[in-house]
């Protein structure tokens, strides 16, 4: 009948006092990444000809930049459509239109303020024909990897000068040294398991004071965390995966950033993140978006509240934020050859934006079968966020091809731990599957037994479970249920976490086995 399987890993806790600007009692020194011309930051750093997304909004940032005029010195088949200034005096957002027949070239942007002038060379490149954006299908088995906890292939990057956290293997919430090279070194191991796709928990920079290992508090959207490797090393990993017939899924976070993101030291606009008079957590109540009786405050509290004090909530209703997040996703596919996306905390983001984001990605790469994290407790709530489901009659369509099927996960766990009655135990599976009419294509949903946020399945069902129960477990995943499967790292060895989530984080691959951290 349908979906995907997932192997996972656990994660995180945080805290801070301020959420406007620098959140620390003692301000951290600003981190400026020089691009060209006296620390001019440019994002994205380049683009390509022949793209569907051909109205590119480029972020330029430098002290006092908003006082400058900007023009193109020359550009064949290209022109500036508009320039937007933020509330900060240090940003310009320049929209560049790239005609369909424009050649690859190096543009020259000229910035002028009276007699002061500087230029920036901006490359528009030819698209390469490398494999990319393949999308996952019901034939795939997805293996979920926490890069920091998988394998340490390059000890030299365990501690990076200037970054806030280094190696702390003695701490559950510390960094343990895993990296991209460690994953590359074990691709044959994964291939031997029958894995056809790997889902990497976020590998972008998370330069946070604590719990940076999990990756869900991004501090730079265009830079791989140096403790994992480099942008080039990510591209090399993807290439080697493709040689072996393994796809690579990025875990993308649209809802929030880390409070040490470079934006937080100089927000481009006052509404760049969702602000409250006092710190306000999200309600964590996604059903408020479906509930016909919910107040507008209930909806706002859920969508605009912060997931955590160290995770500022992005305001995707701001058009520059929206464009930035769309372009960033496209850029990484073109640059590194990413094949698909799992979308973290999908329900918490502005849903009009999410619909736009999904459609823009599908317009560019029709084979994508992105799946969102919808951790809820009923099929109608989970299904509300999936593509072209019955709620479209309410003038809403997410354009999201698939979801992570928590409902089937919960049902399988009940079947393995509870006595079967008319409605409980194994009957739960039947009732969940009978509601698949709610999805446009249930085969695009990803199934799992546990993930990086949950108690491991072998702990949940009891470590002394009989072989019969385990055989039934695997049959339920690989048989007639959803065929997209996602196992968590080390799940294939029957690893449990008897002392809680922290224990499950403490394993790294060594050769073909695992060792305790």
């Amino acid at each position: 009948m349908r979906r995907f399987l997932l192997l996972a890993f656990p994660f995180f806790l945080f805290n801070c006092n301020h959420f406007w600007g620098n959140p620390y009692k003692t301000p951290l020194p600003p981190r400026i990444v020089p691009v060209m011309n006296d620390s001019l930051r440019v994002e994205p750093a380049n683009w390509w000809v022949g793209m569907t997304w051909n109205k590119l909004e480029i972020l330029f940032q430098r002290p006092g930049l908003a006082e400058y005029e900007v023009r193109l010195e020359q550009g064949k088949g290209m022109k500036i459509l508009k320039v937007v200034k933020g509330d900060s005096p240090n940003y310009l957002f320049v929209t560049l239109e790239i005609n369909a027949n424009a050649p690859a070239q190096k543009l020259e942007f000229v910035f002028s303020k009276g007699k002061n002038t500087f230029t920036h060379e901006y490359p528009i490149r030819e698209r390469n024909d490398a494999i990319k954006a393949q999308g996952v299908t019901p034939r795939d088995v997805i293996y979920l990897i926490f890069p920091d906890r998988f394998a340490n292939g390059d000890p030299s990057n365990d501690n990076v000068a200037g970054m806030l956290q280094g190696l702390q293997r003695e701490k559950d919430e510390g960094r343990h040294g895993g990296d991209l090279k460690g994953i590359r070194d074990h691709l044959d191991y994964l291939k031997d398991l029958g894995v056809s796709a790997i889902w990497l928990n976020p590998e972008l920079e998370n330069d946070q004071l604590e719990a940076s290992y999990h990756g869900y508090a991004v501090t730079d959207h265009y830079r791989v965390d140096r403790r994992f490797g480099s942008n080039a090393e990510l591209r090399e990993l993807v290439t080697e995966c493709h040689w072996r017939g393994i796809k690579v899924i990025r875990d993308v976070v649209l809802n929030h950033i880390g409070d040490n993101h470079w934006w937080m030291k100089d927000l481009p606009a006052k509404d760049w993140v969702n602000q409250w008079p006092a710190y306000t957590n999200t309600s964590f109540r996604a059903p408020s978006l479906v509930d016909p009786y919910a107040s507008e405050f209930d909806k706002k509290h859920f969508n605009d509240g912060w997931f955590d004090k160290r995770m500022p909530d992005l305001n995707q209703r701001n058009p520059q934020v929206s464009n930035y997040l769309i372009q960033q996703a496209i850029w990484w596919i073109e640059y590194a050859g990413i094949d698909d996306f799992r979308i973290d905390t999908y329900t918490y983001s502005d849903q009009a934006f999410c619909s736009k984001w999904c459609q823009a990605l599908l317009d560019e790469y029709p084979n994508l079968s992105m799946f969102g994290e919808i951790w809820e407790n009923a099929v109608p709530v989970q299904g509300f966020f999936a593509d072209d489901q019955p709620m479209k009659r309410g003038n809403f369509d997410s354009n999201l091809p698939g979801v992570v099927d928590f409902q089937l996960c919960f049902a399988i766990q009940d079947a393995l731990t509870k006595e079967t009655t008319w409605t409980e135990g194994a009957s739960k599976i039947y009732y969940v599957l009978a509601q698949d009419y709610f999805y446009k294509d249930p085969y695009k949903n990803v199934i799992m037994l546990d993930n990086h946020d949950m108690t491991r399945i072998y702990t949940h069902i009891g470590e002394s479970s009989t072989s019969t129960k385990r055989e039934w477990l695997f049959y339920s995943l690989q048989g007639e249920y959803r065929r997209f499967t996602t196992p968590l790292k080390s799940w294939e060895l029957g690893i449990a976490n008897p002392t809680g989530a922290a224990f499950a984080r403490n394993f790294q691959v060594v050769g073909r086995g695992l060792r305790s951290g």
Side-chain angles (χ1 to χ4, degrees), residues 477-493:
L477 284 168
Q478 299 177 4
E480 289 305 308
Y481 303 147
R482 338 259 161 148
R483 301 237 171 115
F484 260 88
T485 56
T486 320
L488 170 60
K489 179 190 79 63
S490 78
W491 187 84
E492 70 273 14
L493 300 180

Side-chain angles (χ1 to χ4, degrees), residues 139-337:
R139 292 180 177 272
D140 285 309
V141 173
I142 306 167
Y143 191 91
L144 173 55
I145 296 175
F146 249 93
D148 180 65
R149 303 302 171 87
F150 187 70
N152 190 345
D154 182 8
S156 70
N157 62 25
D158 290 352
N159 297 285
V160 176
M163 301 201 77
L164 297 175
Q165 279 195 306
L167 194 68
Q168 295 176 307
R169 285 186 57 81
E170 73 282 1
K171 296 183 179 180
D172 292 330
E173 299 292 335
R175 300 189 69 90
H176 289 195
D179 49 36
L180 298 180
K181 187 177 185 304
I183 299 171
R184 285 177 61 188
D185 291 345
H186 293 88
L187 291 180
D188 289 337
Y189 167 74
L190 296 174
K191 185 68 176 177
D192 290 346
L193 285 177
V195 170
S196 61
I198 57 173
W199 152 15
L200 303 180
N201 292 104
E203 78 291 333
L204 293 180
E205 182 188 273
N206 266 239
D207 195 14
Q208 293 285 101
L209 275 175
E210 58 191 35
S212 65
Y213 76 94
H214 60 71
Y216 288 94
V218 173
T219 56
D220 190 326
H221 283 84
Y222 283 96
R223 190 177 200 178
V224 167
D225 196 299
R226 286 166 286 167
R227 293 159 295 190
F228 292 150
S230 65
N231 289 9
E233 286 180 281
L234 175 63
R235 183 164 56 182
E236 291 164 5
L237 169 63
V238 174
T239 298
E240 291 203 22
C241 284
H242 288 167
W243 287 344
R244 291 170 171 80
I246 298 174
K247 301 170 185 176
V248 179
I249 301 166
R250 159 164 282 181
D251 201 331
V252 63
V253 187
L254 303 176
N255 180 66
H256 52 263
I257 55 177
D259 61 359
N260 198 38
H261 194 291
W262 67 269
W263 283 332
M264 296 303 292
K265 300 170 181 65
D266 179 23
L267 288 174
K270 293 177 181 177
D271 66 348
W272 199 260
V273 298
N274 289 312
Q275 303 286 340
W276 296 80
Y279 174 75
T280 302
N281 255 117
T282 175
S283 66
F284 301 100
R285 290 288 188 182
S288 63
L289 303 184
V290 183
D291 180 6
Y293 311 109
S295 68
E296 289 305 310
F297 176 80
D298 289 338
K299 297 174 183 179
K300 178 179 175 61
H301 189 192
F302 171 70
N303 272 145
D304 293 358
W306 289 25
F307 198 80
D308 187 273
K309 286 185 176 181
R310 291 206 179 277
M311 293 179 168
D313 198 71
L314 288 174
N315 175 23
Q316 300 106 352
R317 296 178 294 275
N318 178 299
Q320 278 66 56
V321 174
S322 173
N323 289 337
Y324 185 98
L325 293 174
I326 291 170
Q327 291 172 178
Q328 182 256 0
I330 294 172
W331 189 89
W332 279 106
I333 291 178
E334 285 296 312
Y335 171 82

